[in-house]
Amino acid sequence: AQGEASGELRVVSNWTGSEGEAFQAVIDAFHQKNPKVNVKVEQVPFDQTQALLTQQFAAGSPPDVAVALPGIVRTFADQDLLLNLDSQWDTWIKDGAYTDALRQIASGPDGKAYAVYFKGNVNALVWYSPQQLQKLGIGVPKTWAEFTAAMDKAKAEGVAPLAVGGKDGWPLTQWTDPVILRVAGAQAFNDLARGKIGWDDPRIVKSFQVLGDLIGKYFPPQALGTGFIDATCAGAKGKALFDNQGAFLNLIIPAECDKSLKPGKDFTFFLMPKYDASMPEAQFVSGDLFVGAKDTKNKPATLALLDYLASADAQEIWAKRGGYIAPNAKVPADVYPDENDRKAAALWPKQAAIPAGYDLDDWIGGEIQVKYRQALAQFTRDRDVDKFIATMKQVDTRAAGG
């Protein structure tokens, strides 16, 4: 029960700035409920988390609780390093707080649950300035043809069609995922993520042909030399027409670019249109999970924190601040501070019938993820589909039985 846990807890997270403050507010609220637990949060850069956790778990000195992506969850679960959370998930699903599709994302290769969902995110959101769209006489695109026509028009008017922060690596994957999901479909996307089909599957090859075309026509020449925040602010300040990113931009734009920019009024988004209107609906999700170390010296407090992070109470704290989607379905829509967050939260998978594609490289993880990002940077330079597919076939041999 709450209030009974005590002792020290070491938690690894990777949020900084406004996001770091939001997470600390959640931890402070946990401490109020569990005053005998002293939580120490260690911030680790996003791109170093996997290496650091691998090292600490291998050395037998893991953090009690750590932020993790599905690739890490499956790797550590396979090595029997994590606390089993099946009974918690049984309760949450029965209560309608989570769906089975989300449980799969938090599970190991054995099908058992080892992680809690804390921070949801919806991807394939194309951010724009309503004023700029109006100035250029462009309507909000509803189809793929309207999407490319809008970028053509911006280009003709001397406005960069896209802002892309390729220097940080991961923003390039924000493009590949929705294009694969939109062109190849959810079934092929999820089969690729799980190693059931290879990168040379015709549906995947076609996706990269479409992406190569977008890069050639619309990516800025300095895409690989621009960082995520610079690209975000270029988009927010009207130096580029569109910026395809996640829901978290809603917190980052006012915090990092210009405090006077108002969500919904000065910046908003539309969901990237379907490549083919006949394709079924699919949701594009990512997000952050937390795991508990099996070797924790403080199991009651570890389980209490994991339980709290998955709760509607904890998630409401960050949801009220913006740029966050609560994965717990019990968090009411009216806690979100503005229309952008409410609109993004409505796209989070709550119905079992709509398939979800979880961020591809974060799902795969490990060495494949590192090499995939390198191959994407090279693909952004040369747009050589055959070369990219050949590289990925070498890197990811799961479908061939490797």
Side-chain angles (χ1 to χ4, degrees), residues 119-339:
K119 182 177 189 278
N121 175 51
V122 173
N123 287 325
L125 304 183
V126 182
W127 294 82
Y128 68 94
S129 149
Q131 293 88 325
Q132 189 181 44
L133 230 54
Q134 207 178 354
K135 200 168 84 186
L136 291 168
I138 296 170
V140 175
K142 302 263 190 304
T143 64
W144 191 268
E146 288 174 6
F147 179 46
T148 55
M151 294 190 284
D152 288 334
K153 186 157 191 191
K155 211 168 150 182
E157 298 285 341
V159 175
L162 296 172
V164 181
K167 187 178 173 185
D168 289 320
W170 66 268
L172 296 176
T173 72
Q174 294 287 81
W175 275 100
T176 48
D177 293 0
V179 171
I180 296 171
L181 202 53
R182 281 300 194 216
V183 177
Q187 183 70 51
F189 180 94
N190 285 321
D191 284 349
L192 180 68
R194 288 157 180 77
K196 290 180 182 167
I197 61 170
W199 292 81
D200 55 354
D201 181 280
R203 294 165 295 180
I204 305 303
V205 174
K206 187 183 176 188
S207 304
F208 280 92
Q209 286 163 344
V210 170
L211 179 64
D213 197 39
L214 284 175
I215 293 170
K217 283 185 182 161
Y218 307 119
F219 268 38
Q222 72 284 13
L224 293 174
T226 307
F228 163 64
I229 294 292
D230 287 341
T232 300
C233 295
K237 291 176 178 176
K239 291 186 185 140
L241 183 68
F242 295 143
D243 184 9
N244 163 47
Q245 264 296 354
F248 46 80
L249 247 57
N250 207 42
L251 180 63
I252 290 170
I253 288 172
E256 309 288 345
C257 307
D258 182 346
K259 283 183 175 52
S260 72
L261 293 172
K262 295 278 174 286
K265 183 175 156 293
D266 298 314
F267 63 98
T268 188
F269 64 83
F270 56 88
L271 187 62
M272 188 184 286
K274 291 180 182 182
Y275 180 72
D276 175 342
S278 67
M279 290 290 252
E281 289 300 329
Q283 303 283 35
F284 314 79
V285 302
S286 64
D288 301 279
L289 302 105
F290 277 90
V291 294
K294 196 177 176 181
D295 284 350
T296 175
K297 308 276 188 290
N298 193 347
K299 192 175 172 184
T302 294
L303 288 172
L305 179 57
L306 289 170
D307 205 44
Y308 182 68
L309 291 172
S311 73
D313 284 356
Q315 295 176 17
E316 271 187 34
I317 294 168
W318 194 333
K320 283 175 180 161
R321 290 170 174 244
Y324 172 95
I325 295 173
N328 188 315
K330 300 285 185 191
V331 173
D334 61 10
V335 307
Y336 292 100
D338 59 69
E339 65 172 276

